[in-house]
Amino acid sequence: MIASVTPREILIATIARLLDGVRHVAVGASSPIPAAGAMLLRALKARAGAEPVRISILGSVEHNFFTNGSTELFDCAGQGRIDAFFLGGGQIDGQANINLVGAGDYPRSSVRWPGSFGSAYLYFVVPRVILFREEHTPRVFVEKVDFISAPGVSQPGIHRTGGPYALLTGKGLFAFDRARPGFRLESVHPGHSLGEIVEATGFAFAHDAAPPTTALPDPAILALLRGPVLDDLQETYPDFAAQMRREIAAAADAA
């Protein structure tokens, strides 16, 4: 075990594994951890001499090939040319429904969030949608969302090429079974436990009696993450990159 690995580095390395095999991944403007995971995968493929991974980060100058913002993103996704995307939500339930509107009875929601934007469209057309939320509490992971911004599953007969692939949180990694439908806990992050995850999750999920621990990144992956990946991340997310460097330094001092 590498004692100085930070929790966010585990998340970033896990995202890189979840993205393995994609050709083009798109990332929202406020998603530094998913962006870092995509950049890590790109660096790993470059090191191996494999086919390069294309990354489109909305709001970035260096990592955005679009010239007309979300319009081109939606067109590209609809044509099947985006393989993976990330969605989060103020609420997420066991059917992989997400709520980006607000808590409480709509339209008189007691708490309002930014809004659904294009989440429902992208959820239907991008084949590998990874739900990501660092916070893992009962207020986020609820039995049933108060408002469905984007549905996790659709009724039979509805054409849908996209949907939920996995759920990654600050406590664990879940896979989504569209046939059941529902989540299954795949691994528990170091420092957490199955009991803790059950208590923090408002919906039931499948799991082994003793789920495995999420794999740690090896020294070679850490070197990429802490070097070229953080350098690339600096352009779009300078504050987050600086925070990551402080966290890495603090972990090394504590080891």
Side-chain angles (χ1 to χ4, degrees):
M1 179 173 177
I2 308 167
S4 62
V5 176
T6 70
R8 283 179 170 172
E9 288 179 313
I10 294 172
L11 294 177
I12 292 167
T14 302
I15 287 170
R17 290 195 298 272
L18 290 172
L19 291 174
D20 193 23
V22 305
R23 302 161 301 163
H24 183 187
V25 54
V27 183
S30 303
S31 304
I33 293 177
M39 290 175 179
L40 176 59
L41 176 66
R42 182 174 62 185
L44 288 166
K45 294 300 182 184
R47 186 183 68 179
E51 184 177 350
V53 175
R54 178 176 175 179
I55 304 173
S56 298
I57 303 176
L58 293 180
S60 170
V61 175
E62 182 70 22
H63 308 286
N64 186 6
F65 298 90
F66 301 129
T67 58
N68 195 21
S70 58
T71 300
E72 286 180 279
L73 169 68
F74 295 155
D75 285 348
C76 196
Q79 294 164 17
R81 296 191 290 121
I82 294 179
D83 303 309
F85 189 70
F86 297 87
L87 286 175
Q91 292 177 334
I92 300 172
D93 67 24
Q95 299 290 298
N97 299 313
I98 64 172
N99 176 5
L100 291 159
V101 171
D105 293 332
Y106 180 82
R108 297 180 178 84
S109 305
S110 57
V111 176
R112 291 303 297 265
W113 297 314
S116 303
F117 190 49
S119 58
Y121 173 75
L122 293 171
Y123 217 7
F124 268 70
V125 299
V126 177
R128 195 179 303 193
V129 177
I130 297 170
L131 303 179
F132 176 74
R133 187 65 198 265
E134 198 170 2
E135 178 187 342
H136 191 143
T137 64
R139 76 168 187 165
V140 174
F141 296 102
V142 297
E143 183 175 5
K144 184 178 181 181
V145 296
D146 294 337
F147 182 91
I148 298 178
S149 293
V153 295
S154 300
Q155 296 297 320
I158 294 178
H159 179 68
R160 181 171 187 169
T161 57
Y165 177 75
L167 165 66
L168 180 64
T169 79
K171 297 183 188 296
L173 170 65
F174 299 78
F176 189 74
D177 181 355
R178 299 185 194 184
R180 198 162 48 93
F183 288 105
R184 177 178 178 81
L185 182 64
E186 295 291 296
S187 66
V188 178
H189 301 335
H192 300 283
S193 67
L194 172 60
E196 179 187 352
I197 292 176
V198 169
E199 186 175 351
T201 308
F203 56 79
F205 55 88
H207 59 83
D208 293 338
T213 301
T214 305
L216 294 174
D218 63 32
I221 289 177
L222 279 181
L224 283 176
L225 201 166
R226 295 174 178 182
V229 170
L230 269 185
D231 292 341
D232 280 348
L233 206 63
Q234 180 76 30
E235 181 268 340
T236 310
Y237 307 102
D239 293 341
F240 180 81
Q243 184 182 46
M244 279 285 295
R245 288 190 169 97
R246 290 193 296 270
E247 291 176 359
I248 291 166
D253 290 341

